[in-house]
Amino acid sequence: MATFFQQLVNGLTLGSIYALVALGYTMVYGIMELINFAHGDMVMVGALVTLSLTHVLAGLGVPLALALPLSLLGAMAVCMALGWLIERVAYRPLRRAPRLAPLITAIGLSMVIEQVAALLWGRGYLTFSLPVSRVWNLGGVVVTPIQTGVLGLSLLLMWGLLWLVRKTSLGRAMRATAQNPEVARLMGVDTDQVISMTFVLGSALAAVAGLMVVAYYGIGNYTMGFMLGLKAFTAAVLGGIGSLAGAMWGGLLLGVVEALGAGYIGDVTGGLFGSNYKDVFAFLVLIGVLIFHPQGLLGGRAGEKV
Amino acid sequence: MDEYPLLVAERIGKHFGGLRALQGVSLSLGEKTITGLIGPNGAGKTTFFNVLTGIYKPDEGTVHFAGAPLPSGKPHRVAERGIARTFQNIRLFSQMTVLENVMVGRHLRTRAGLLGALFKTAGTLREEQAIRDRAFQLLEFVGIAAHATRVAATLSYGDQRRLEIARALATDPRLLALDEPAAGMNAMERKRLGGLLEQIRNMGTAVLLIEHDVRWVMGLCDRITVLDHGERIAEGTPREVQTDLRVIEAYLGTSRSVTA
Amino acid sequence: MKGVSCRWLVLGGAALILLPFALELLLGNGWVRIVDFALLYVLLALGLNIVVGYAGLLDLGYVAFFAVGAYVYALLNSPQWGLHWPIWIALPAGALLAACFGVLLGAPTLKLRGDYLAIVTLGFGEIIRIFLNNLDSPINITNGPQGIELIDSLHFGSLSLGQMHHVLGLRIPAVVNVYYLFLVVVVLGMVFSHRLERSRIGRAWAAIREDEVAAASMGLNTRNLKLLAFAMGASFGGLSGGLFAGFQGFVSPESFTLQESVMILCMVVLGGMGHIAGVVLGAMLLAILPEALRAAGDWEQMVFGRIWVDPSNLRLLLFGMALVLMMLRRPGGLWPSNARRNELQGQ
Ligand SMILES: Nc1ncnc2c1ncn2[C@@H]1O[C@H](COP(=O)(O)OP(=O)(O)OP(=O)(O)O)[C@@H](O)[C@H]1O
Ligand SMILES: [Mg+2]
C-alpha cells in the first residue's frame, strides 16, 4: 500500500508539471486551433535559462533564496519574448494557409530552438541541485520539499490563470476570440493582440514548468522538452483540448496513471514488461482517448461548420 | 410516378448546444420534380441539407430515400445511394483542374483499383477514358467545357457554381440538392440556370434547391417548403405558399418589426 | 513518346549507369556508398510523399515503417533466429508487415483531424523504438539496444551483392552492385508513384487533400482511401528498411529516431510536396548535404583550429530554418509541381 501512495504522490507532482505545460497547448489550440509543437521546447528553454542564471548569480554570491526567484523571472522573460516572437514570425503569416503549413513551421521551429540550445548549452546533461535534503516521511511515504513546492506553485498558478481568464477583460477577450474570431473582431476585440498574449502567457507557464522539471529531476538537457511536450499534449487531449480545467485534470490524471503504471507494470504482467515501458503509457492513453472519446474529459467543441 | 415519393424526411430535429436549428421538419418529394426550400437567413435550410447528406447526424427523425432508410452521418454512403449536393459557400477542389473536379465525381461509379493503376491494365485505361469522356460531356452540358483545363479556383463565381453542379451530376444522382446555386448571378444567368435545372428534371433527376430569390423559385419549382426558425411553416405549390399568411409574416417580419 | 524526351531518357540512363564508376574514380568508394544510402532516402521520401504530398496526411513517425522493414529482413536473414531466407520473401514480407502496421495505426486515427494524426504518428514512432530497445527480454527478439548483427548481405540465390564481381574484366565492388539494385528499385518507385498520382485513386487522394467534406459528399470513402495511402506509403518505407538492413549488415534502434522521421519529412517538404521530381531532388540534396557539411567541419578545424559549430548540429539547425522559411516564402518547395505552381501564382 505504501508503494501505491508513494507512486500517487510522485504522480501528482509529475502531473502538475504536465498540467502547466498542457495549459499552454490548450490555450493556443482553443484560440486558433493550432498545435504549437514548439511549446515543449519552451519548457526546455525556461529550464536551461533558470539553471544558468542560478549558477551565475550563485557565483556572484547571491543567496539561493533570492537567486532562484530572480532566475525564474529572467527565464520567464526570455520565454515570453520567444513565444511572442514565434507567433509573430512563424504563425501569424500562416493563419489563412492550408492546415499542414503551420504544423510544418512548428516542427521546424522546434528543431531550430533545440539546436540553438545545443549550441549554447552543449549536448551533455547539466546538473542542478537545490540544497534541500530534508524529507518528510509519512508512514512510509516519502515527500520532499521540492515535491510540495512543485504542487503548491502549480496549483497557485492554475488558480491564477483561471481567475485571469474568467474575471479580467483580457480573459473575456480571449474567450470571445476562441468562440468566434470574426465576431470578436467586429465587437472591437484586437484579436491579434489576444493571440499574442495567449502565446506569452503559455510561455510564462512553460518557463515555470521548466524550473520545476530541473528542480525535480536535477538535470537538464536540450532535448528534454520533446517527451515532456508530447505528454503534456496528451494531457491536454485527455482533458479535452481547448478546456483549461480539462488540461489541469488531464495533466494530473496522466501523471498518476504513468506513475502507477511504472510502479505496477512489472507485477501486473508477471515481469514480462518492466518500467522501461513507462513512456508507452502516455501514448496508449492518447490513442485510447482519441479513438473512444476524442472530445476528452471536459471538452466539447461543435464540428466543422459547412 | 408521383405516387411513391423519392425522398421522405420525417420530423427532423437538430440542435447546436442551446440553439434549435431544426425542429420536427418533414419534407417529401417525388421523382421528376423541382422542389424549393426557402426561408429567411438562419432558418435552418443549410442545416437540413447537411442532415440529409450525412454531414450532420440528426438528433431526431428519419430520412427514407427510394424506399429505404438513409444512413446518417455517412456522406459517402448517401452519395452512393444517389443524393448529390452543392455547397452554399462553394467547395470545389480548388487547385485541381475543372475537368479533374468532375472526374472525381465519377469515382463512385467506377472501379479501377490499386493494381490496375500500378500496372496500367487495359481495363483501367479504358475506364479512365470513359471517366474523362463523361466528365467532358457534363462540362458541355452545364456550358463550361471551354474552361476544362483551367484550375478551378480561377473560374468566375457563376462558372464555379456550374462546375459544382457538373461535379454533382457526375455521381449519377437521383436527387440533386443545390444550396443557393443562383447566389451572385444576374437575371440572365438565373434564367439560363433555371433552364438547366428544368432539363435535369426532365432527364429524370429530382432537384431540391435552396434559394432566396422568391420570385425566381416560384416560377421554377413544382412544390415549395418554407422554413423559419428551424420549423416548417408552410408547404405546397408556389401559388399556395405565396398566399400563406405565416410565410408573408416570416418574410416581411411583421410581428418582429412591431416589437423592435 | 516524343523524340526529344526519348533522347534525354537514353542520355540520363547512360549517365546513371556510369555514375558509380565516375564517383569511384574521382572521389573514391566512400562516395558510392553515400549515394547508395541517398537512394534509400529517395525511396523513403517517395513513400512519405504518397502520405503527405498526395493524401495530405502529416505522418511524423514514418521511420517506424522503415524500422519494421529493417528488422523483418534482419530477423529472417541473420544468426539471431538462424534463418536465411531469400530476399524475394524477406523484402516483401517487410513491406507487407509495414503496410499492416500502417493500417493498424491508421484505422482508428484517420477519422481524426490532421493535426491529431501528426501527434499520434509521432507517438507511434517512439513506441516502436521503445519496443525495439526493450524486446530483448523476456524472450530475445530484437536483441535490445545492441541490435542485430551479421545480417546476410543482399543476395539473389548464390549471387551475393555483398562481394566484388568481375564482369568482362571490369571490377564491380559491392557498393556498385548495390547501387544498381537500389537504382532499379527507386526507378520502379518513381514509376509507381507517378502512375498512382495520375490514377482514379490518386485523384481521389488529391480531392481529399483539397476538401475532405466535399470529397466525402461526392461519394469518396475518405477513411478507406486514407488508409490505402497510409499502407502504400508504409510499404515503401518497409521495402527501404529491408534494403537498408541487407546493405548495412546490422540494425539497431538508434537508426530509427524521430530525427530520421523529421529528416524524411524535410526532404519531401523542401523538395516539393506531391511532386516526384522535387521529392527526389530534396532527398538527394538532404542525404548528401551532411557529407558536405562534414567537409565544412574539417575546414573549420583547419581555419580556426577548433570546431565552433558541430556539423550535425548545424545540419539540423539549417533544416529547421529551411522548413520554416520554405513554409513562409515558398510553400511549394524547391521544385513544385505544376498544380502547386498555379496555386502560388493564383494568389
Ligand atoms: N455547425 C454549427 N454549429 C453551430 N451552429 C450552427 C452550425 N451550423 C448552423 N448553425 C446555426 O444554425 C442556424 C441555422 O443555420 P443554417 O445555416 O441552416 O441557416 P440557413 O437557413 O441556411 O441560412 P442562410 O440563408 O443564411 O444560409 C443558424 O443560427 C446557424 O448559426
Ligand atoms: Mg444556408
Side-chain angles (χ1 to χ4, degrees):
Chain A
M1 219 46 202
T3 329
F4 177 81
F5 282 108
Q6 183 68 61
Q7 294 294 1
L8 197 63
V9 170
N10 296 349
L12 284 175
T13 313
L14 198 58
S16 60
I17 297 176
Y18 290 162
L20 278 189
V21 185
L23 282 171
Y25 282 107
T26 226
M27 282 196 292
V28 168
Y29 195 93
I31 289 198
M32 49 195 290
E33 305 214 331
L34 165 78
I35 296 178
N36 178 14
F37 262 103
H39 189 62
D41 295 305
M42 211 61 86
V43 181
M44 175 271 292
V45 172
L48 297 188
V49 170
T50 314
L51 194 147
S52 294
L53 280 181
T54 314
H55 280 305
V56 169
L57 289 175
L60 293 173
V62 180
L64 189 68
L66 188 60
L68 202 58
L70 280 181
S71 313
L72 178 60
L73 284 181
M76 284 168 78
V78 170
C79 284
M80 286 156 88
L82 196 58
W84 181 85
L85 191 73
I86 285 177
E87 191 274 327
R88 206 48 199 267
V89 175
Y91 294 151
R92 188 171 298 182
L94 294 176
R95 288 224 194 113
R96 307 218 152 263
R99 204 157 243 130
L100 224 53
L103 273 178
I104 291 173
T105 33
I107 295 163
L109 278 176
S110 162
M111 288 168 75
V112 170
I113 296 174
E114 281 183 22
Q115 295 310 317
V116 169
L119 287 178
L120 292 176
W121 281 285
R123 291 168 167 265
Y125 281 86
L126 307 167
T127 56
F128 184 77
S129 60
L130 294 174
V132 277
S133 48
R134 260 189 53 202
V135 297
W136 296 297
N137 192 325
L138 310 170
V141 179
V142 177
V143 181
T144 67
I146 292 182
Q147 284 182 320
T148 35
V150 165
L151 257 171
L153 185 56
S154 46
L155 287 179
L156 191 72
L157 284 172
M158 290 184 222
W159 176 82
L161 187 74
L162 276 187
W163 173 83
L164 186 140
V165 169
R166 293 198 175 143
K167 294 279 151 61
T168 65
S169 64
L170 173 63
R172 194 159 46 238
M174 284 169 74
R175 281 178 289 141
T177 309
Q179 265 197 356
N180 191 332
E182 266 116 67
V183 173
R185 211 164 14 251
L186 288 176
M187 304 304 268
V189 175
D190 183 349
T191 50
D192 279 345
Q193 199 188 348
V194 168
I195 291 175
S196 282
M197 286 310 295
T198 307
F199 272 85
V200 168
L201 267 176
S203 306
L205 292 180
V208 183
L211 165 69
M212 292 175 175
V213 177
V214 283
Y216 190 44
Y217 289 109
I219 48 174
N221 172 260
Y222 75 107
T223 58
M224 66 191 269
F226 168 66
M227 208 33 122
L228 189 74
L230 208 54
K231 288 182 182 170
F233 176 78
T234 302
V237 171
L238 176 61
I241 196 144
S243 150
L244 294 183
M248 297 173 197
W249 289 116
L252 291 176
L253 193 61
L254 185 68
V256 170
V257 166
E258 208 176 278
L260 290 180
Y264 286 105
I265 182 175
D267 299 344
V268 172
T269 59
L272 201 62
F273 296 114
S275 60
N276 33 11
Y277 284 97
K278 80 174 166 40
D279 286 340
V280 172
F281 287 112
F283 299 126
L284 292 184
V285 168
L286 177 64
I287 293 177
V289 171
L290 287 178
I291 295 170
F292 296 110
H293 202 67
Q295 65 272 40
L297 296 176
L298 300 178
R301 289 182 79 84
E304 190 186 1
K305 222 167 156 173
V306 179
Chain B
M1 275 314 286
D2 250 318
E3 262 70 284
Y4 95 93
L6 180 64
L7 174 80
V8 183
E10 282 179 300
R11 292 189 300 282
I12 303 293
K14 174 80 194 167
H15 59 84
F16 300 105
L19 180 89
R20 294 203 147 275
L22 290 176
Q23 267 183 86
V25 174
S26 298
L27 185 151
S28 61
L29 57 85
E31 280 175 291
K32 288 215 171 194
T33 57
I34 300 182
T35 308
L37 183 60
I38 64 173
N41 288 111
K45 305 179 296 291
T46 300
T47 305
F48 182 80
F49 264 36
N50 287 339
V51 168
L52 180 67
T53 55
I55 289 176
Y56 294 158
K57 276 190 179 161
D59 301 318
E60 293 148 26
T62 54
V63 186
H64 282 251
F65 185 71
L70 207 58
S72 73
K74 294 200 179 78
H76 72 276
R77 297 268 296 111
V78 172
E80 201 177 312
R81 287 285 302 284
I83 301 181
R85 71 171 291 181
T86 66
F87 297 87
Q88 180 172 357
N89 43 351
I90 302 174
R91 298 188 81 137
L92 288 168
F93 309 122
S94 50
Q95 301 311 323
M96 296 167 77
T97 67
V98 169
L99 188 67
E100 279 169 343
N101 266 275
V102 186
M103 289 169 80
V104 171
R106 288 305 293 161
H107 187 93
L108 190 54
R109 307 296 172 205
T110 44
R111 292 277 71 90
L114 201 60
L115 292 181
L118 293 182
F119 299 106
K120 279 200 177 173
T121 57
T124 304
L125 292 178
R126 220 171 15 241
E127 187 185 88
E128 190 68 11
Q129 192 55 46
I131 293 174
R132 194 172 287 275
D133 292 345
R134 174 86 178 118
F136 200 79
Q137 215 178 10
L138 286 165
L139 286 179
E140 281 177 335
F141 178 66
V142 300
I144 54 171
H147 306 314
T149 55
R150 276 172 61 181
V151 173
T154 64
L155 290 186
S156 72
Y157 199 69
D159 284 348
Q160 291 196 13
R161 292 229 174 262
R162 269 185 275 272
L163 175 53
E164 267 205 323
I165 295 177
R167 182 180 68 177
L169 284 174
T171 65
D172 294 343
R174 295 180 69 182
L175 170 63
L176 183 63
L178 307 172
D179 197 343
E180 304 198 13
M185 286 188 178
N186 60 32
M188 261 299 290
E189 288 175 312
R190 260 159 215 263
K191 216 169 143 217
R192 261 175 48 205
L193 180 65
L196 192 70
L197 297 186
E198 276 165 355
Q199 231 176 314
I200 290 171
R201 172 196 52 196
N202 297 343
M203 290 186 323
T205 301
V207 177
L208 173 64
L209 102 140
I210 297 177
E211 183 47 53
H212 277 292
D213 182 341
V214 178
R215 192 176 308 163
W216 185 67
V217 175
M218 296 283 173
L220 186 63
C221 295
D222 304 302
R223 292 190 81 81
I224 290 178
T225 295
V226 189
L227 292 186
D228 187 27
H229 288 109
E231 290 183 66
R232 190 179 84 175
I233 57 170
E235 198 279 330
T237 62
R239 191 180 300 264
E240 287 162 4
V241 167
Q242 215 159 10
T243 53
D244 189 298
L245 278 177
R246 291 185 65 189
V247 176
I248 295 167
E249 197 172 294
Y251 267 89
L252 300 178
T254 30
S255 57
R256 263 166 291 158
S257 59
V258 170
T259 51
Chain C
M1 191 166 291
K2 284 165 259 147
V4 181
S5 67
C6 201
R7 179 158 358 120
W8 279 112
L9 214 61
V10 171
L11 279 178
L16 282 175
I17 287 170
L18 294 178
L19 178 73
F21 296 103
L23 276 179
E24 205 189 348
L25 270 178
L26 297 173
L27 298 165
N29 243 341
W31 271 91
V32 185
R33 203 179 153 75
I34 290 170
V35 171
D36 288 349
F37 278 116
L39 285 172
L40 288 181
Y41 273 118
V42 171
L43 193 58
L44 284 172
L46 284 171
L48 185 61
N49 180 50
I50 295 178
V51 181
V52 180
Y54 292 170
L57 305 165
L58 190 53
D59 181 350
L60 293 180
Y62 186 66
V63 79
F65 304 125
F66 185 54
V68 168
Y71 271 85
V72 167
Y73 184 90
L75 289 174
L76 295 180
N77 270 295
S78 71
Q80 176 77 358
W81 284 356
L83 296 177
H84 302 280
W85 288 21
I87 64 171
W88 49 265
I89 295 180
L91 288 177
L96 196 70
L97 190 69
C100 290
F101 270 97
V103 171
L104 271 182
L105 174 68
T109 49
L110 279 174
K111 64 170 192 275
L112 300 168
R113 269 191 36 180
D115 29 17
Y116 282 112
L117 181 74
I119 300 271
V120 172
T121 50
L122 194 155
F124 175 71
E126 287 296 293
I127 290 186
I128 290 275
R129 205 170 51 82
I130 291 173
F131 272 92
L132 293 178
N133 245 323
N134 290 299
L135 277 183
D136 49 350
S137 67
I139 352 163
N140 187 355
I141 300 175
T142 64
N143 209 26
Q146 284 89 40
I148 299 174
E149 293 178 328
L150 302 173
I151 301 171
D152 304 344
S153 58
L154 296 162
H155 54 90
F156 293 97
S158 60
L159 176 75
S160 168
L161 301 187
Q163 296 164 0
M164 168 108 60
H165 291 284
H166 295 267
V167 178
L168 307 171
L170 212 59
R171 283 173 52 254
I172 305 184
V175 283
V176 177
N177 296 329
V178 170
Y179 169 86
Y180 288 127
L181 173 64
F182 288 4
L183 187 66
V184 169
V185 176
V186 163
V187 168
L188 275 180
M190 288 169 70
V191 170
F192 280 171
S193 287
H194 182 78
R195 290 183 172 183
L196 272 177
E197 186 189 352
R198 301 297 165 93
S199 72
R200 169 174 170 269
I201 290 169
R203 211 161 38 231
W205 284 336
I208 292 172
R209 188 183 70 213
E210 299 255 332
D211 189 331
E212 193 167 341
V213 172
S217 293
M218 291 306 119
L220 271 54
N221 185 335
T222 54
R223 205 192 66 140
N224 285 0
L225 282 161
K226 287 196 228 170
L227 268 185
L228 188 62
F230 233 60
M232 276 311 288
S235 64
F236 274 54
L239 178 62
S240 183
L243 294 170
F244 171 76
F247 179 40
Q248 179 160 269
F250 69 91
V251 292
S252 71
E254 252 170 59
S255 306
F256 311 108
T257 57
L258 174 76
Q259 275 182 5
E260 289 295 310
S261 287
V262 172
M263 172 93 161
I264 304 164
L265 181 70
C266 286
M267 293 171 173
V268 175
V269 172
L270 298 187
M273 267 186 284
H275 189 216
I276 294 170
V279 167
V280 172
L281 174 77
M284 277 298 189
L285 272 182
L286 293 203
I288 290 175
L289 191 71
E291 306 306 323
L293 286 177
R294 195 160 297 155
D298 295 343
W299 271 94
E300 231 181 307
Q301 181 86 46
M302 262 171 55
V303 176
F304 299 108
R306 62 166 286 195
I307 300 274
W308 290 92
V309 178
D310 181 350
S312 76
N313 205 305
L314 185 65
R315 174 176 70 121
L316 291 171
L317 184 62
L318 288 178
F319 289 174
M321 288 200 288
L323 273 188
V324 177
L325 287 179
M326 240 355 148
M327 278 300 114
L328 291 175
R329 297 267 164 248
R330 211 182 145 83
L334 290 172
W335 191 355
S337 63
N338 279 331
R340 305 269 166 154
R341 222 187 332 260
N342 288 331
E343 196 169 334
L344 298 180
Q345 281 166 359
Q347 280 160 5

